[in-house]
Amino acid sequence: MKIRRALFIASPWITTLSFFLLWEAGCRLFNVPSFVLPAPSAALEALIQYWPGIWVNALQTFLTTLVGFVIAVVFGVALGVAVGASAVLYRALNPLLIGFNSIPKVAVVPILVLWFGIGTVPAIITAFLVAFFPISVNVATGIATMEPELEDVMRSLGASRLDILYRVGLPRSLPYFFASLKIAITLAFVGAVISETVASNQGIGYLMLSASSTFRVPLVFAALLVIAAMGICMYAVAAWFERRHTKWTIRSTEHSRFAVGG
Amino acid sequence: MTEPVAPPESIAVPPAFVSVENASLYYGADSDVLALQDTSFSIARGEFVAVVGPSGCGKSTLLKLISGLSLPTAGRVIVDGQEVRKPLKNIGMAFQNPALLPWRTTIDNLLLPLQVVRPHRHEFGRKRRQYVDHARALLAKVGLEGVDDRFPWQLSGGMQQRVSLCRSLIHDPQILLLDEPFGALDAFTREELWDTLQALWEEQKFTVLLVTHDLTEAVYLADKVLVMSRRPGRVTYSAKIDLPRPRNEDTRFTPAFVEHVRDLRRHIGHARSTP
Ligand SMILES: Nc1ncnc2c1ncn2[C@@H]1O[C@H](COP(=O)(O)OP(=O)(O)OP(=O)(O)O)[C@@H](O)[C@H]1O
Ligand SMILES: [Mg+2]
């Protein structure tokens, strides 16, 4: 029993480690040239060699993501509350929102460049654009799925719509909100990196692109590893934040863990 | 408009506190579902009235009418001498689903109405201690002690329903509206809660309208049982239950009790077979 439990806890480490070992073994066994697929050891070597350049760019991407994410949270919550609390707004905005969300955000980057030039601003805006939607949808869902009985109880106590929103709607939407943060932060990061690869001269996305155009493939993979690691870290922070702030959802069954992706 | 005709025995009947007069209500986008048709009845102050009827006949709709959450398409509802034109502001409600707030402890769930209802909402900050004591006393009356700081998901279904019942009473509501509050409980818990509710009512004599599908429950608790026909619903029969109080388990096996249940069953059968 004890061993199974230990295995359970260690399982993410075991799978990750096995993944890299297999990758390494594959590359060596079949003598894959490093300009096609570098072994993880080669990527690691590149990571160490180019570290000064990598971390500056990684920091740039991180800050870009963070700014875009914060704007997305503010805007996303405001929109989500408005749409969740008002059936009229929901109906009025629904087609626009769905249409907007269907547009691949990569397609928007060139327009942003046209407006703001190459650099950090388009990356921030892209991060914001991809991240606010899941936040809005989740907050709105949390508010709008209030049990009708509760609404009746509140209204027959003389509660105004604002009272109901404040006492029931908002607290009830919190777990949805926190769940959406995990998705939103990852999306913001992806948005920032994409925008950097298309239209920037700094950031990890740009680094990756310039490395691949000069065939420094191990560096490309080093950048990919950094991106993956950063993604995991941001997700983990958001998940920790979620656990800390909404203890009650872990047990109350029906409404929780239904974060809607964007 | 003509005055509603007073029933002949009106001298003996106390003045109506709630009175529903020829109320009809349509539902649906095109108002094409007739849920209630030309329904009339009245409830005296402090009276315990139960409503039974086939599923979908408009019992919940009736509660919405009385609370003002829905307004009748025709006819009117009068509470305490005033026609109901918007949601009343001091009603207690409990449903089959306890609908507690999962992020609030038992005590904080009980305090919710006091944070909302006037005048308490304006005194909440000042009188919090007093309100907490009041909530504790109420919890003790329904047999819930030592669960003040537990969250709803840490309580059993029966306990949650007790809390829900307390929440519907904590602010001393004008009217208590109960929509199958015991419907989801096992038989023993249900019977226990009947006695809890009866004791609370004996003590505070609030005005209650209880919707139920359990005839035994209706006869056991109510002063008067209304039978509704199937949709479009209307009150087709009213039975006065004059069994002595407080009623207890033995009451349920007396011939008078059994006769009441049988009588209601006959009328329900009738209500189900004729439109
Ligand atoms: N919001 C609504 N829109 C349209 N029709 C409705 C609505 N609410 C109820 N109805 C219809 O009105 C009728 C009465 O509904 P109501 O909920 O009052 O029945 P009920 O007697 O409480 O039923 P049950 O015993 O199953 O709870 C039903 O036929 C139902 O389909
Ligand atoms: Mg009902």
Side-chain angles (χ1 to χ4, degrees), chain B residues 59-61 179-180 211:
Chain B
K59 302 183 293 295
S60 302
T61 306
D179 197 344
E180 304 189 15
V211 168

Side-chain angles (χ1 to χ4, degrees), chain A residues 147 149-160 163 167-169 171-172 247-249 251-252 255, chain B residues 64 69 87-91 93 95 97 99 101-104 112-113 115-118 121 153 167 171:
Chain A
E147 296 94 322
E149 288 97 337
L150 254 176
E151 204 174 329
D152 285 355
V153 166
M154 293 294 285
R155 283 177 65 205
S156 62
L157 291 169
S160 65
D163 284 332
R167 298 281 180 206
V168 186
R172 164 169 225 298
K247 286 199 195 88
W248 56 268
T249 48
R251 276 304 310 278
S252 71
H255 30 59
Chain B
K64 289 208 171 207
L69 292 172
L88 298 177
K89 295 187 165 177
N90 195 3
I91 299 289
M93 284 190 147
F95 303 86
N97 164 11
L101 303 179
W103 58 91
R104 288 187 175 218
L112 177 72
Q115 291 176 311
V116 174
V117 99
R118 268 154 263 262
R121 64 183 296 157
W153 36 269
R167 182 180 65 185
H171 54 291

Side-chain angles (χ1 to χ4, degrees), chain A residues 21-33 37 39-40:
Chain A
L21 285 177
L22 272 177
W23 177 2
E24 183 79 37
C27 285
R28 290 186 182 215
L29 219 63
F30 301 108
N31 258 325
V32 183
L37 176 66

Side-chain angles (χ1 to χ4, degrees), chain B residues 25-29 32-36 51 53-64 70 96 179-180 211-213 228-229 231-233:
Chain B
L25 189 132
Y26 285 92
Y27 273 124
D32 48 359
V33 182
L34 182 56
L36 279 181
V51 179
S55 179
C57 71
K59 302 183 293 295
S60 302
T61 306
L62 204 61
L63 296 191
K64 289 208 171 207
S70 302
Q96 180 165 344
D179 197 344
E180 304 189 15
V211 168
T212 174
H213 52 245
M228 286 179 72
S229 67
R231 196 172 68 112

Side-chain angles (χ1 to χ4, degrees), chain B residues 48-60 63 94-97 161 178-187 190 194 209-222 225-228 261 264-269 272:
Chain B
F48 198 131
V49 176
V51 179
V52 295
S55 179
C57 71
K59 302 183 293 295
S60 302
L63 296 191
F95 303 86
Q96 180 165 344
N97 164 11
Q161 203 49 265
L178 302 174
D179 197 344
E180 304 189 15
F182 313 129
L185 303 174
D186 66 276
R190 191 180 321 150
W194 291 350
L209 189 61
L210 166 75
V211 168
T212 174
H213 52 245
D214 182 342
L215 299 183
T216 308
E217 178 173 304
V219 173
Y220 189 64
L221 289 170
V225 181
L226 306 174
V227 177
M228 286 179 72
V261 173
L264 285 174
R265 165 130 295 146
R266 254 197 317 272
H267 281 89
I268 291 248
R272 284 174 63 174

Side-chain angles (χ1 to χ4, degrees), chain B residues 37-76:
Chain B
Q37 186 182 37
D38 204 20
T39 299
S40 300
F41 67 93
S42 63
I43 306 174
R45 194 185 287 274
E47 196 176 19
F48 198 131
V49 176
V51 179
V52 295
S55 179
C57 71
K59 302 183 293 295
S60 302
T61 306
L62 204 61
L63 296 191
K64 289 208 171 207
L65 273 190
I66 292 175
S67 59
L69 292 172
S70 302
L71 299 179
T73 321
R76 51 184 199 159

